[in-house]
Amino acid sequence: MNELPIIQKTYDLIKWYVPILNRLPRTHKFTLGDRMIGGLYDILEELILARYAQEKLGKLENLNGKIDILRHQTRLLREFDLMSIERYEYVVKLVNDIGSELGGWIKQQKKRSSP
């Protein structure tokens, strides 16, 4: 089965990001790191479920908020000096790509649901 590009990009983000988050110092790993990892897995699961849902729009709009939370958490990592600027720029691009795809999917669903 062909994956939707947004699902594949989220999967790739998890493969790249989780090992980095698992290497955070103890003071951040069990708070921010674990929350971020849980959030990443939630985003992937919800994207997969939305793919098969009859009513996609509500699920997709909820995901928009989760992606924004991930952006802010990533920014905190950078501001706590727990991530290099290069890694930060890379992950921000990945997250923004996922956000753009999600925005397109939401737009498509709004067109379908309007009379």
Side-chain angles (χ1 to χ4, degrees), residues 4 46-64 102 105-106 108-110 112-113:
L4 293 175
E46 290 181 35
L47 283 168
I48 292 168
L49 292 172
R51 178 180 186 183
Y52 297 103
Q54 287 294 114
E55 298 297 321
K56 295 176 178 11
L57 191 55
K59 293 181 183 308
L60 297 175
E61 287 175 335
N62 185 41
L63 277 166
N64 236 352
L102 180 61
W105 198 3
I106 289 171
Q108 176 196 52
Q109 290 303 310
K110 283 182 177 176
R112 282 189 178 167
S113 65

Side-chain angles (χ1 to χ4, degrees), residues 61-72:
E61 287 175 335
N62 185 41
L63 277 166
N64 236 352
K66 290 187 179 211
I67 289 173
D68 204 32
I69 289 168
L70 181 63
R71 279 189 188 104
H72 283 80

Side-chain angles (χ1 to χ4, degrees), residues 26-37:
R26 271 185 96 91
T27 52
H28 295 285
K29 173 166 179 1
F30 297 110
T31 51
L32 186 57
D34 285 348
R35 288 178 92 127
M36 291 178 75
I37 290 169

